[in-house]
Structures are given as C-alpha cells and as structure tokens.
Amino acid sequence: MDGCFVIEREAAPVSERPTSPHRKGSGVEGAVAAVAPMRLARRVVDKDRESVLDEFEDLIVAIARKRDRAAFRALFDHFAPRLKTFFMRGGLDPAAAEEIVQETMVKVWRKADQFDPAKAKASTWIFSIGRNLRVDFLRKEKRPQPDFNDPMFVPDPEPDGFEVLSVAQEADLVREAFDALPPDQKAVMTLAFYEEKPHSEIASELGLPLGTVKSRIRLAFQRIRSGLGESV
Amino acid sequence: MSIDHHPSEERLLDYVSGGLGESWSLAVATHLALCPKCRNTVARLEAMGGGMMDAAEPATLADNSFDALWARLESEEDEADSMPAIAGHAGKIDLPEPLRSYVGGSVDALPWQNMGLGVRQLLIPTADQSTARLLCVAAGRPVPEHTHRGEEVTLVLQGAFRDSTGIYAAGDFQEADETVLHQPHAEKDRDCICLAVTDAPLKFRNLAFRLVQPFIGI
C-alpha cells in the first residue's frame, strides 16, 4: 500500500448498515453462505486528515463517560440481534443464545471504561466479550488473557512512523481479505469462529486430514497479511 | 526479549475463536504477554471475528429484551466491574500474568514437588482435561528423552533449554507431538523454568524412567 495514503471508512448510519439476505443452510456450505460480505465503503484520503471514529466506538465512550442510556440502547439495537445470530450459528438454542447476549451487553455496560478505541473497534471488543462468555457457558472454563497492567507485560514497540494504519483501517483490510478468501479457506475460518471448535475437531467434522486444515489456515493467514500490504 | 519460537497460526486461531482449552490458553496467553508480534496477529483475528459477528443477519430478540436488561442494570447499578487489582504478592514478581494468578506467587516461594533427576514440578489447576504444570530443570540437566502420546506445548519463562530442534529461551513457545522425539537439556548457566501443557502422559524412552513414571506423575 502506498505510504502517502490511508483508507478511511465512511461510517453509515445504523439503519443503513449493509446486511445480506439471510440464507439458511447447515454444514460448511451453509456456514460460508451465511457470512455476509464485510466489505465496506471506503475512500482514499490524504493522510494528514484525521479519520473519523466509527460511531459505535463513540457510543461506548459515551456509555463510559456519561452512563448514557440512549447510547447503550443504540449499541444494543445494533449488536444484540447480531450476537444472537452468531451464537445460534454456533449451535446454541435461541434461549441460551439470548442469555449470553444479555450477559455480553451487561459486560459492555460495566466495562465500557476499559474500552480503548485506539486498540479495537467496537465490534471486535464486543465479539471478544461474547466469546469469553460463551466459553464459560459451554465449558465452564476460564479463558486466560494477558494483563496490560502487569509489570512483566512486554509493551508494543514504538511504531516506526511508516504506514501506520489505524485500528479501524486495519480491521477493514482484514475483513476485506477475509471476504476474498477462497471458499475452502473461508469455510475453515468461519467454522472456527462460529462453532468455537479447535481446528482438529473442524478437520474431523469436515472429514479432512488435519494437515489439510492446517495448511488452509496458514494460506488464509498469508492472504490476510498480503491484504495488509505485508510480505508473506 | 527476542522471541524466536511462536505458537502456530492454527493455535492462535483456536485461542481467538475460544476453541482452545484452558490449559493451552494459559500457555498462549502468557506467551502473548511477552510477545507483541503474536498479540498483533491475535488482534487481527479478533477483528475478523468481530467482522463476522457484525455481518450476521440480525435475529429477533425475545420480547422486552432491552427492558429486562435495563431493569437488571438499574437494580445492580454501580456494581461496576472494577479492574482486577494486581495481585499483591509479598515476594518478587518473576512470572507474568495470567500465569502468576494461577500459581499464586514468585518462583522461589512455590510449593515445588521434587521429582529427582534435577527436575521439580508444580501442577496448575485448570478446568479442562489437559495438564498444565510448571517444570524447573536444574542448570545443565536433561529432561529425560521422551516422545508424546498427544500434544505438548512448552513456554520458557526463565533460563533456556536446547534440544535437537533448537534453543528455546524466555518467551519461546515450543509445540511437539508424537512425531517428535526430543531430549531437552537446560542450558548450563541457569535453572530452566517452563510452563508445560500436555494432553496425555509423556512417553519416556528410558525403561527405568518409565517404571517410576506412574509414581511421579509426569
């Protein structure tokens, strides 16, 4: 990617966010067909311009600062129905999916002050909260995570000043690269996220040798790196 | 800290998707605390997961879903989750989080179990079926040559070890399975402390060690 330019996302109002026609299906074909394209409108702008914060990030910040009920309602209206679909595609029944959605949104409200728009998009942050709650719900296990405040935590190196993408820009490029994956690679990645199964179980589910699944994952990673303009 | 050996991409994917069991996630998460490069990969995968969730067709929620949630938040208001206090261990901090919270102290103060042959271990309680343990191998001593009935990952925390596949120092993450026969040696200058996770007992080549294995629980 040319270092002089950044890609800025055009934030659409909540009601105009693109969704795909719902397609029912089971197994790999269904899972892949059910993934709506994540490609978003974008335009190339001069790097000197600040890119606008996505409105969902603003909503979480408003919740943290002002305990803003309207902001929380808007966030809920967008994400709760999508979280429910996401959990149901992973095999949860509607009642269980709804329960985890509620727990996720409780955490969004309570942990809003821990959200850092410089580190993650709203959808990324909410996904990670929901994922942890699903692990707890399904397996009664904790999901250990690093602690940024730990004295032994090794911080990120200073950026070198070249081609630094914002979190939102990078996320958009990752999603575009994902949309463009060949179907066999996309199927494996999609099943991993939806069904929360280790890749070894996905291999048996698809009737594929473990090595085939591993190489599809690695090829997908290569494409994502190359979508971010990195050498693969 | 220069880290040369990282978790495989498929293991990072399992960590991000939530499919990885607690013991293995503990090893990956503790590596992540030390490795900005893998944290970057994990952040991208989480962005991908967030994108999949965000692109999902909205489901119909239960009636009054938001009102029920709001009533609950109001009744529990100000029980806001506070940041977890950093565990105030009396001893020095020489293990990174999240591992430190699991073992609860500094290396010197842990209730190590002496297994002979220069090896000490500490089993770490986790909720999955796999086994997580801290291993301390005395400087210059070998871990008995073994293969694995299943998978093993090893995260070096202090010191270093060397085997036929290379040298592993603090922060390095080794993955091995039944195809790998290795005899790690701790480097001579310092005891080597590792977090090791296995899904099945190790298989030792040496008959004498195999005979005592049931009694020492490795």
Side-chain angles (χ1 to χ4, degrees), chain A residues 20 38 78 81 84-85 98 102 110 131 139 141 143-144 150 154 156 170 199 218 224-225 230, chain B residues 9-10 14-16 18 20 22 33 39 44 46 48 51 54 57 59-60 62 65 72 76 97 100:
Chain A
S20 74
M38 296 191 285
H78 180 79
K84 186 173 177 182
T85 301
E98 181 101 10
Q102 294 259 335
R110 292 194 180 148
R131 179 254 342 258
R139 305 206 303 265
E141 285 178 26
R143 185 179 170 284
D150 177 24
V154 176
D156 292 340
E170 179 162 309
H199 67 280
R218 289 175 189 188
I224 288 154
R225 277 197 297 273
E230 295 171 5
Chain B
E9 289 169 332
E10 54 273 21
D14 289 349
Y15 175 75
V16 172
L20 196 62
E22 185 178 350
R39 281 206 304 275
R44 288 172 181 176
E46 288 189 330
M48 190 186 289
D54 200 19
E57 172 79 6
T60 306
S65 187
R72 179 177 157 190
E76 300 171 3
E97 291 290 5
R100 187 165 74 249

Side-chain angles (χ1 to χ4, degrees), chain A residues 117-130:
Chain A
K119 285 189 182 152
K121 284 179 59 117
S123 57
T124 305
W125 186 66
I126 293 172
F127 158 79
S128 65
I129 291 173

Side-chain angles (χ1 to χ4, degrees), chain A residues 76 81 84 94-95 98-99 102, chain B residues 59-68:
Chain A
F76 180 93
K84 186 173 177 182
E98 181 101 10
E99 188 183 328
Q102 294 259 335
Chain B
T60 306
L61 298 174
D63 289 346
N64 301 321
S65 187
F66 182 83
D67 294 337

Side-chain angles (χ1 to χ4, degrees), chain A residues 78-90:
Chain A
H78 180 79
F79 284 110
R82 289 168 172 79
L83 277 167
K84 186 173 177 182
T85 301
F86 185 78
F87 293 140
M88 286 173 65
R89 291 216 181 113

